[in-house]
Amino acid sequence: MHRSAVLLTGLLLSPLLLSAQTLFRPLPVTQTHIDFSNTINENEGLNVLAYEYFYNGAGVAVGDFNNDGLDDLFFTANQKPNKLYLNQGGLSFRDISAAAGIEGRTGAWKTGVSLADINGDGLLDIYVCYSGKVDEALRRNQLFINKGNLTFEEQAARYGLDHPGYSTQAAFFDFDRDGDLDCFLLNHNVKKYDNMELARLHKETDELAGNRLLENQNGHFTDISQKAGIFQYPLTFGLGLAVSDINQDGWPDIYVTNDYNEPDYLYLNNGNGTFREDSQHCFRHLAQFSMGIDIADYNNDGLPDVLSLDMLPEDNRRQKLLQLQENYESFELMTQQGLYKQYMRNMLQLNNGDGTFSEIAQLAGVSNTDWSWSPLLADFDNDGYKDLFITNGYLRDYTNKDFLKYWGDYKVRKAMNRESVQLMDLVLAMPSTKLANYIFRNNQDLTFQNKQADWGIQTPTMSNGAVYADLDNDGDLELIVNNINEPASVYQNMSRELHKTSYLRLQLEGKSSSIGAKVTVYAGGLKQYQEVFPVRGYLSCQSQTLHFGLGKATQIDSVLIAWPGRRVQKLTSVPVNQRLVIKEEGGMTPAKLQPVAGLFRKVTSPISLVHQGYNENDFKRQPLMLFMYSQTGPVLAKGDVNHDGLEDVFVSGDQSRAGGIWIQQKNGSFRLLSGLTIGDESMSAISAAVFFDANGDGWDDLYVAKGGYSLFEPNTPSLQDELFLNDGAGRLQKAALPDLSASSKSCVRVCDFDNDGDPDLFVGGRVIPGRYPLAPTSYLLQNNGEGQFKAISVPFSNIGMITDARWEDLDSDGRKDLLLCGEFMPVKVYQNTRDGFLDKTSQYFPSEDQGLWMSLAIGDVDGDGQNDLIAGNFGTNSQIRASVKEPAELYFADFDRNGSIDPFFNFYIQGKSYPFVSRDELNDQMYAMRKKFGFYKDYADATMKNLFTPAELDKTQKLTVTELRSVCYLREKEHFKKQVLPLEAQFSPVTHTLIRDFDGDGKTDLLLFGNKSDNRLKIGSIDAGYGTLLKGSGDGSFRYVRQPDSGLSVTGDVKSVLELSSGAGTLFLIGAFNQPLQCYQKP
Amino acid sequence: MKRLLLLLALTGGTVLARPPKLETHLQPTVFAVTMVMIHDVVNPPAASRFYSYCLLGAHELVSGHSAIPSPAAFVREFHKPELNRTGNYQLAALYCILETGRLILPSGYMLEEEEAKLLAALRKEGYTEKELKAAVVAAEEMAKKVLALAATDEYSRLSTRLRYRPLKGEGYWYPTPPGYMEGIEPHWKTIRPMLIDSCSQFIPRPPVPFSKDTTSAFYALTREVYSEGRNLTEEKRFIASYWDCNPFAINTSGHMSIGFKKISPGGHWMNIASLATAQAGISFDKSVEILSLTAMTLRDAFISCWDEKYRSSRIRPETVINRLIDSRWQPLLQTPPFPEYTSGHSVISTAAAELLTFFFGDRFAFTDNTEVLFELPERRFSSFRAAAAEAAISRLYGGIHYRDAIENGQEQGYRLGQFVVEKLQKNGVRPAR
């Protein structure tokens, strides 16, 4: 080998050079001698049309094969021989592949690799998976047993590991904690199912595609999949595998990602040899085309979080060029069949510690990394928080929509010229785009920051498997990446050299194996948690030596090791900056963790109802809206209908029943008031309700407002509100109202605005069905004292798409002023004067934060005697971005003068504002655009200026959004001061807020509810909130209370929250769309 | 020979004999429009609408000659335009086909090149620059009139209407694999027809009602599609493919999708009409009339058919068979993205065949080479009706229609075709020979 002649020269870096140095430094092949490349040969017989996982790449494994303290590297190649590089020190390696006997079969298709000491002789063995459209004999996986002299012997058959299926990768771990390593084998089908009615395939088993759990029985691996509850459907498209004790019960759990429509599986270990698939309980939605996965605690709360990858591009151009999910019928089929909500973007599932997860990849800034393979959460800058490296790239952009639509023309042209069409013509016609891998720094606040430039990861490649490892034993993690058609990348980490950071490397030597050990390191005020499960990322296997970055810490307070066999070992006062080898010793068994009692306790709802709403699709009516408006229920309201001193509850109807009033009984139970139905949800949709004494007879009357969208027409009875007057005997009878049917309504707020002694009403207009985003009509209804109302002229009758309102006497003149909020508008203030209402918005809210406001709540949060305002907004956990500097904008007009409003939403992506609408949606809305944007590439960079002429744009109306965060507006003397609520409050839209001192510490706290799932598919379901308790510190600032401590686990889009006094104390009744009524009690 | 003529033209001097007939340009000109529609993946009903306008101007230009009545006499809302009628009306008619296509088709710009090519060819054939210029002016003027008519046919308001939302209930259409595309043109019935009175003038008898009962008539129909599909002879397989006419069949492999393109059913019949006029040696003027009336008939047949499709919104065999009989069954042809009843190909082929039979007689044998571009051979038919009958039954072989949708669709098309023929006869349109 000519390379062996090259002498290594130790690289001496001058301090001057260091200062300009990026964190990572690519090492040349001349230094590393790692000349491996996963070279793909395509030809007429062997290509992506024959085997669709042709460009999925191969893996890397890192481990110390000769126990010399230096991690060695093993690469799989799809078609070429495997390579084993022995670490010589000084970041120089020697290729020993041929002599070692690990090169694998020729003419076969190799995939993932994992390392484990399978036979317990203290030497790492290698397990290589095979797949591809080749003969079964060529597909049998191989196990290379380490003979101790850097040679290996293939013994898969002997161990029962020569599986002939279509394998992706295996993970070895002790699932039953009996002291030996078992095996989970991840497989995939090689035939995609285009038919989406797949649930029936869940009755079938596919021997070659189905995953397997193999139990180690005295050195032989026996298939126990069926018994253990492992799915083996033909729909298995397993691309990612990670093992972790996700629920922290001491038993290793398994996460399996699935490509295409089959959802991912989370197998929770029952501890009795079986697993239960629990993903739909834990997660609210999943990545659709899930690929690689990592499970690690990235926010240092001691709980493993889950990151799975998909293929949504970051830049506008590729988002517009490549196929995205926009098909509502497909999505409906998917959800109807229990395939769950799946979206095409990376998913970061934050572990809430109570069995639920909050998906916050978009909020964290890591959701869009293009066609991505390997996520690796590890501390690259040694600051004590795990950062994130993501490989990406695909040899051919075959989801390019121009290719889909217009390659056929090429074929026709060829035919016209009487030329034959070759398969390879098609393959080669697919564009190829190399991309830089992504690297993100952990901001230590749940979010990440892109560091591609600063950290020197910018070379465009097509990258798949990857590992991190401290190859030079200097205390920071190098990155090693397997690339297609290009030498593997090796990046030297300069963290130690540049920043003098501290670290700890831990090599665990368990009595049986270290795999499955869990380590918590306490240092520098941080608690860091890691698990020894080396299979993570994609097709790859990490080092079993754990690496902890320790920032500026000079000493480690303690290290806690939970060995797989259950024993716990504790080390204290451990010096930093060392490679520590720990042998399993006696230790203690851990005390069983007592579940902490939360502040709130979930109780059975005294009104037992499951809401069954109409699932309409509002986008069939106005295809360019962002959200739907049909889902308004369930609406709850309380009042004492029968005057017995007990609070009764109105619950709006759904498709199975009409709305009604539930009368509270003396024993705290509720009974439906017979003979009265309120509203008919098949004709209309109740969107708000309030009990109040309209006619001053001392008995509660009921007002219900009508909302909704899909099939309702403005100015028809569907949108006419209804008033029910109490006859003084607990019976409600419909009374007259003026015509209030101009639009859908959102809220009703009672106030005697004219101080004449009777209650008047503000009724907020939400949207005009079919005419979004024109401002709907809001009403101020003046009461004549008899319960007869008159709509009076007010300046806020067509002010915007109102979502909520509050009456509050802001200027202390004894007349309550009106606060309003809504979509695409600021929180507005109308001062109530004797001469009418005056817009005082700019005085009270000088910054006029244009938001997608969802709710308002009033209370004194800082104890200064003045009421403050909590304004619930859309949150920052979506694709939509908006700020003052980069506002989101909604342009609208009937551009093509055909009678329909064409709304175009724009927001900034990478510094430029683009229309959100896809080319197909645009061309479908405005036929003239078909001439402008014949090709997807023509539209891919288009902005509003390319869509419309200056004259056309002049005639449009424009709404903006500059603030998406939910905030606290603190009342100062003359105005409100904005204080942004903690990040956890930004996980999802906030539709309801309760302001109260919930924990009894004398300081006002906040309880937020929300979520919103009825959005465009490109936005998807925003559902990361489970009821968010924010503990007040008395000065208007708040701190998030973890879910196990709050005790809240509210699911669904919360439409109503009722604080209810009952015999059992205060109950919190929560109505969410298509969910059972949920109820919490504060003991 | 051509070269010699060209040489003579260049050397000038002698006046050339008038080049033979313009009708040789007719088929390629209409096909140029077809190619743009293939590129744009125009759906079948929309394609018929485009054809009708592309030919209408030409039709009007040749009217008054060769005893051809003006379409203004019988085309709904089309009023005889006041035009400067000097110059060579045939050149103008030919050019008007491309010019209308250029203005009305999404990628109409692609026809600029065809226009230039046509003018160059005509120049070579000896037409003077002055003649050609006059023809272009006349064609442009006429095309604008046609566009004005097109602007009022409700097409532009389609995007303001409710998109198709699958009806709730078992027997209703739901999008089909692999693309699960949204229902195409749910409001096509609102498009103004040209010859018939209204979209609902030829409502077919209702479909056999959906039933899961294995003894039901519906189940029997379903089983027929299934067993036909499983026992296809080579000939039936060929017939199904021959009449596939799917403008955009999506082929998937993993994450990859490619659209395979074919001529639309209407495009296929437009080409048959072109070929027939050429084979029969029909004059230019008469050929234009025949093509234009074929386009109008196709347009109206699609409107009638689409009216029924979204009235009955019937489920496709693929969906039923997958749910009830065989979860892995796939039809030979890709199921098109709209409801099943009635079969569009059956309605429009039968209607077109009735019109062409009126012009050419029932024993007009012809050779169809339309599908050669799509890797299928030429096919010989004994008559238009025989071709239409084969197109209709091909949908059963292809696994995308039940028999009643085909037979009742044929009846619907026949009634429509007969109505059209009677109406045209009344207005003085005469057979071709």
Side-chain angles (χ1 to χ4, degrees), chain A residues 146-167:
Chain A
N146 191 337
K147 309 293 284 179
N149 55 358
L150 291 176
T151 68
F152 294 79
E153 192 179 329
E154 205 285 303
Q155 296 187 2
R158 201 181 125 191
Y159 284 86
L161 288 169
D162 58 338
H163 181 63
Y166 301 100
S167 294

Side-chain angles (χ1 to χ4, degrees), chain A residues 642-901:
Chain A
N642 55 359
H643 225 346
D644 64 352
L646 298 172
E647 286 179 344
D648 310 314
V649 176
F650 164 74
V651 186
S652 67
D654 58 19
Q655 54 173 310
S656 67
R657 54 182 177 81
I661 293 171
W662 295 73
I663 304 293
Q664 186 170 170
Q665 311 295 306
K666 292 212 162 49
N667 64 1
S669 69
F670 285 80
R671 206 152 64 200
L672 184 63
L673 184 64
S674 61
L676 174 71
T677 60
I678 292 168
D680 174 355
E681 296 288 311
S682 69
M683 307 282 297
S684 64
I686 291 175
S687 56
V690 65
F691 282 104
F692 69 118
D693 182 5
N695 50 7
D697 65 354
W699 289 74
D700 271 350
D701 309 305
L702 176 67
Y703 184 101
V704 294
K706 301 295 178 62
Y709 180 91
S710 72
L711 301 171
F712 306 143
E713 294 296 339
N715 303 309
T716 67
S718 288
L719 293 175
Q720 174 63 21
D721 296 354
E722 292 177 278
L723 174 65
F724 295 87
L725 293 180
N726 198 322
D727 67 354
R731 284 188 298 267
L732 294 173
Q733 264 149 20
K734 208 167 146 180
L737 279 177
D739 183 352
L740 304 169
S741 63
S743 35
S744 274
K745 270 80 72 184
S746 57
C747 62
V748 187
R749 298 293 174 205
V750 182
C751 170
D752 178 11
F753 82 91
D754 49 7
N755 287 349
D756 65 352
D758 56 37
D760 311 298
L761 297 173
F762 170 79
V763 182
R766 182 74 180 93
V767 68
I768 307 171
R771 308 292 289 167
Y772 167 94
L774 296 187
T777 306
S778 295
Y779 299 95
L780 184 60
L781 299 179
Q782 194 173 35
N783 195 341
N784 70 354
E786 308 283 311
Q788 288 163 339
F789 291 88
K790 185 175 76 177
I792 64 169
S793 170
V794 282
F796 44 81
S797 59
N798 291 95
I799 203 68
M801 295 184 280
I802 303 297
T803 52
D804 205 354
R806 295 287 164 179
W807 292 100
E808 176 74 10
D809 184 5
L810 293 177
D811 51 5
S812 308
D813 66 348
R815 298 174 73 92
K816 288 201 172 171
D817 310 302
L818 184 63
L819 288 147
L820 291 172
C821 75
E823 262 185 57
F824 292 99
M825 59 185 281
V827 176
K828 294 195 74 90
V829 176
Y830 284 89
Q831 187 185 20
N832 182 356
T833 73
R834 275 175 208 289
D835 305 323
F837 287 87
L838 298 176
D839 185 347
K840 291 282 179 187
T841 304
S842 56
Q843 179 200 318
Y844 286 101
F845 299 97
S847 59
E848 299 208 21
D849 304 307
Q850 310 274 343
L852 297 172
W853 302 107
M854 305 270 155
S855 59
L856 291 177
I858 283 181
D860 181 6
V861 302
D862 53 4
D864 65 354
Q866 289 191 321
N867 272 344
D868 310 298
L869 190 64
I870 304 298
N873 208 343
F874 188 69
T876 54
N877 195 17
S878 83
Q879 291 291 307
I880 300 171
R881 297 275 178 266
S883 64
V884 173
K885 201 167 145 257
E886 299 193 333
E889 294 170 317
L890 181 70
Y891 294 82
F892 62 100
D894 180 5
F895 289 102
D896 49 2
R897 292 187 296 280
N898 63 357
S900 68
I901 296 162

Side-chain angles (χ1 to χ4, degrees), chain A residues 524-600:
Chain A
L526 295 179
K527 167 184 169 185
Q528 295 189 55
Y529 173 79
Q530 290 189 42
E531 300 173 331
V532 185
F533 287 114
V535 170
R536 53 182 73 228
Y538 176 67
L539 301 179
S540 298
C541 188
Q542 313 300 322
S543 175
Q544 292 185 29
T545 304
L546 299 181
H547 174 91
F548 292 87
L550 299 171
K552 301 209 177 324
T554 50
Q555 173 153 304
I556 298 159
D557 303 328
S558 66
V559 176
L560 207 64
I561 300 152
W563 295 97
R566 206 176 270 267
R567 269 187 291 266
V568 171
Q569 202 168 329
K570 186 175 181 183
L571 292 76
T572 50
S573 303
V574 181
V576 298
N577 298 340
Q578 59 161 333
R579 177 161 168 271
L580 190 59
V581 180
I582 298 174
K583 287 202 182 341
E584 181 172 354
E585 277 166 16
M588 54 194 176
T589 38
K592 252 214 153 37
L593 287 173
Q594 289 301 320
V596 276
L599 196 58
F600 294 88

Side-chain angles (χ1 to χ4, degrees), chain A residues 69 134 154 166 282 293 327 339 379 389-390 486 526 547 586 667 722 750 766 820 972-973 986 992 1012-1013 1065:
Chain A
V134 291
E154 205 285 303
Y166 301 100
C282 292
I293 174 148
N327 188 324
L339 301 178
D379 188 357
F389 176 69
I390 291 177
E486 171 146 32
L526 295 179
H547 174 91
N667 64 1
E722 292 177 278
V750 182
R766 182 74 180 93
L820 291 172
E972 314 236 296
K973 274 204 182 73
Q986 316 302 340
H992 291 84
K1012 186 163 175 55
S1013 60

Side-chain angles (χ1 to χ4, degrees), chain A residues 75 185 281 284-285 333 510 514 556 785 940:
Chain A
F75 293 88
L185 182 57
H281 171 248
R284 302 283 67 81
H285 56 252
L333 266 184
S514 70
I556 298 159

